[in-house]
Amino acid sequence: MRFELLDQDVAMFVGDDHESVACAFFDGDDALLVDTLGSLDDARWLRRVLCEELGKTVRAIVSTHFMSDHLAGLSLFPDALTIAHRHYRHCFLSQNQRVDRFYREPRLLFDSAMTLRWGRHELRLIHNPGKTMDHLSIDVASADLVCAGDNIVGNIVYLSKADPELIRAAIERMRQFGRRSVVGGHIGRFPAAALDNALHYLDQLQQAVVRIRVAATAQAIDDRIAAIAIEACLAPRVEPTGFEREWHRRNLDVIVAQSVFALDAALAPRAVQA
């Protein structure tokens, strides 16, 4: 577990479970949380540090997306105003590893955008579907950061059941904010270059899979996709973490199981002819 002050009134918590991330914004002794980590043990640690050691009271919780590995602490702050996108339930029901005991109905829902003033910060909550249809990006100009949720995973992306084009568009939208730091839903904080690196990874992975699907025999496709090395997809001078390696392997499993990029491969000959 890791605690880090990102600014005088902004803190980041990284749990052990899935290296899930929560951020806290302070207004005096009041705190607004973005996500609440991935296990009850991690969430209890978060509450202990935030409430007992720092003396803060959690008044509001914003969910970047409603997947269980970011919701574990909702029940620990029963008086907090919970905020999510209107499609939160679609996200919760569509995830691969649902934990129903973490579920708590949000009290405030919105559609496209919402702005919250919290202390000296203005938090812009922007619907930015990518990894999930309910995904939010939280743009905080005064802290020079954006909370990206799971639209990036460090310097890569995780496809899961998402449309890769939606993930690409979500990252491009975050790039337009022009913030110096990006707080991911996992691992921690990254420089803005992580957005470029994630796009590079997605592009290289797609190109590698399309080449295999176009050129390989049907019997060889799955094995060749499973053998794509993460190093072949990473941006120059990016060294993969263990977490990124694990989720790259999961991407390869997803690509095989769900025939990801098969449409792109089918369209590739048309693009050449044009």
Side-chain angles (χ1 to χ4, degrees):
M1 301 179 192
R2 189 171 86 248
F3 167 74
E4 181 182 344
L5 276 176
L6 305 184
D7 207 331
Q8 60 184 357
D9 50 5
V10 184
M12 181 179 71
F13 303 81
V14 182
D16 287 340
D17 189 274
H18 289 83
E19 295 187 43
S20 286
V21 173
C23 263
F25 294 86
F26 303 143
D27 180 6
D29 289 335
D30 294 333
L32 177 147
L33 270 177
V34 176
D35 294 331
T36 61
L37 303 183
S39 73
L40 281 177
D41 285 344
D42 287 350
R44 291 184 184 111
W45 164 76
L46 164 67
R47 183 179 60 180
R48 183 173 66 253
V49 173
L50 189 57
C51 301
E52 298 176 18
E53 297 179 17
L54 298 179
K56 307 298 182 182
T57 300
V58 176
R59 303 293 187 186
I61 300 172
V62 177
S63 291
T64 58
H65 60 298
F66 231 67
M67 296 191 80
S68 298
D69 58 332
H70 301 276
L71 302 176
L74 285 182
S75 63
L76 302 183
F77 306 102
D79 296 326
L81 175 67
T82 46
I83 304 168
H85 185 264
R86 190 169 300 280
H87 293 326
Y88 74 95
R89 187 176 169 89
H90 177 276
C91 173
F92 190 81
L93 293 175
S94 65
Q95 64 187 307
N96 292 320
Q97 295 181 328
R98 198 176 79 210
V99 183
D100 289 351
R101 68 180 182 279
F102 292 166
Y103 182 85
R104 178 183 170 194
E105 291 280 350
R107 291 169 55 193
L108 178 61
L109 303 176
F110 71 98
D111 286 313
S112 58
M114 188 171 93
T115 300
L116 288 173
R117 170 63 66 177
W118 200 265
R120 70 182 180 94
H121 298 294
E122 183 177 271
L123 282 65
R124 294 197 305 143
L125 280 55
I126 300 164
H127 183 216
N128 196 12
K131 168 69 160 40
T132 66
M133 293 306 296
D134 70 329
H135 234 92
L136 308 182
S137 291
I138 301 171
D139 180 39
V140 191
S142 49
D144 203 9
L145 65 81
V146 57
C147 296
D150 281 4
N151 278 332
I152 64 168
V153 178
N155 291 290
I156 70 170
V157 302
Y158 177 48
L159 299 173
S160 188
K161 300 175 181 177
D163 177 359
E165 288 304 310
L166 271 183
I167 295 177
R168 183 176 284 108
I171 297 172
E172 291 282 10
R173 196 170 293 116
M174 287 189 287
R175 290 176 70 195
Q176 294 172 11
F177 300 155
R179 305 305 169 216
R180 188 171 57 185
S181 294
V182 182
V183 178
H186 299 273
I187 306 175
R189 174 174 61 165
F190 296 85
L195 298 176
D196 298 323
N197 295 341
L199 284 175
H200 181 95
Y201 170 85
L202 178 57
D203 290 342
Q204 294 302 307
L205 180 61
Q206 178 173 345
Q207 290 170 24
V209 173
V210 168
R211 285 195 298 268
I212 291 170
R213 291 197 184 282
V214 168
T217 63
Q219 293 81 1
I221 286 176
D222 290 357
D223 289 341
R224 289 187 59 184
I225 289 174
I228 297 172
I230 188 172
E231 289 81 3
C233 304
L234 291 175
R237 295 179 296 281
V238 172
E239 292 292 331
T241 66
F243 193 86
E244 289 165 337
R245 286 187 180 279
E246 176 186 350
W247 291 89
H248 172 72
R249 289 192 293 269
R250 295 194 186 200
N251 273 335
L252 301 181
D253 292 340
V254 164
I255 289 167
V256 169
Q258 298 174 193
S259 299
V260 179
F261 302 126
L263 175 62
D264 303 272
L267 296 176
R270 300 188 200 176
V272 172
Q273 294 170 4

